[in-house]
Amino acid sequence: MVGLTGGIGSGKSTVSAVFESLGIPVIDADQLAHQLVEPGQPALDEIRNTFGEGCITPDGRLDRIFIRQRVFSNNEEKHKLESILHPKIRSSILTWIAALDSPYCIVVIPLLLETGQTDLVDRILVVDASENEQLKRVAARDRLTDNVILAIMDAQADRETRLAAADDIIENSSDKASLESQVKALHSYYLEISHDD
């Protein structure tokens, strides 16, 4: 199992899509988190009970903007949200991994280091980009202010910590062709080492 991580806007989704195009299963913690807070799911009720009705939109969904503002400005609130979601996400990841029949898989966990979940994976793959590049991409993608993006980045492990923890690094500061060739090289390597196990 390869744990794919990186800062916000580093290109994790692009990298995981290339692995997927090569036939490798991708388990995405963020996607699992989205499924866990769908209307009718127990996690949504827990979040409502913890954060109040203000965190629910008129159509009964999680108000992500409300939650984001609550948790990024308050560590205690952030821990409350994480204590609801992280055990459920972890359990879902383990269920998915157990059902896989593949030489290896990619587990995308943006907060892999921060949540101490490195025990879930055999290798850590970090997608790296400069902070300027991250700011530019996230501002274009999510239309967030620089201050909000910087607050999110501050809540994540810093670049040096991520790179120090990495078994493998994809440098995402060039074009898509360069990114794809790095992924393909790693794919060959992962296939090779998975056969050695």
Side-chain angles (χ1 to χ4, degrees):
M1 308 303 135
V2 178
L4 189 156
T5 193
I8 186 170
S10 58
K12 297 180 294 296
S13 300
T14 309
V15 168
S16 61
V18 180
F19 276 109
E20 220 161 10
S21 75
L22 296 168
I24 296 304
V26 172
I27 302 166
D28 188 318
D30 277 354
Q31 285 177 8
L32 293 175
H34 279 261
Q35 291 164 15
L36 287 167
V37 297
E38 284 291 312
Q41 291 294 322
L44 185 63
D45 294 331
E46 283 183 58
I47 292 169
R48 175 192 276 123
N49 293 339
T50 304
F51 295 96
E53 289 299 324
C55 72
I56 305 295
T57 62
D59 66 348
R61 297 189 165 278
L62 183 66
D63 187 332
R64 295 179 189 286
I65 295 167
F66 174 93
I67 287 289
R68 186 184 281 149
Q69 287 167 344
R70 273 287 279 273
V71 302
F72 280 114
S73 59
N74 185 321
N75 262 346
E76 197 181 316
E77 301 278 77
K78 184 166 167 266
H79 289 309
K80 283 182 192 170
L81 181 65
E82 288 171 350
S83 68
I84 295 168
L85 290 178
H86 287 175
K88 293 175 174 61
I89 294 168
R90 183 182 175 85
S91 173
S92 294
I93 289 171
L94 289 169
T95 302
W96 273 92
I97 288 172
L100 287 175
D101 179 23
S102 174
Y104 75 95
C105 78
I106 298 292
V107 186
V108 185
I109 307 179
L111 300 177
L112 178 67
L113 304 177
E114 296 86 340
T115 55
Q117 298 200 79
T118 53
D119 63 312
L120 280 174
V121 298
D122 303 307
R123 297 185 72 79
I124 297 172
L125 168 58
V126 170
V127 184
D128 185 48
S130 72
E131 290 190 356
N132 281 345
E133 200 62 45
Q134 288 177 262
L135 273 170
K136 209 164 60 182
R137 288 177 189 155
V138 178
R141 182 188 72 194
D142 297 342
R143 297 188 297 281
L144 299 174
T145 66
D146 282 0
N147 284 347
V148 172
I149 300 166
L150 288 168
I152 294 169
M153 287 165 72
D154 283 345
Q156 297 180 332
D158 61 43
R159 194 176 174 193
E160 290 71 28
T161 303
R162 272 196 302 271
L163 292 174
D167 294 297
D168 309 294
I169 298 167
I170 286 181
E171 178 53 54
N172 186 17
S173 56
S174 185
D175 55 18
K176 190 151 186 227
S178 158
L179 189 78
E180 287 177 353
S181 72
Q182 291 178 75
V183 172
K184 285 173 182 168
L186 278 174
H187 172 60
S188 299
Y189 176 61
Y190 293 154
L191 286 176
E192 193 181 306
I193 61 174
S194 68
H195 291 312
D196 295 342
D197 289 347

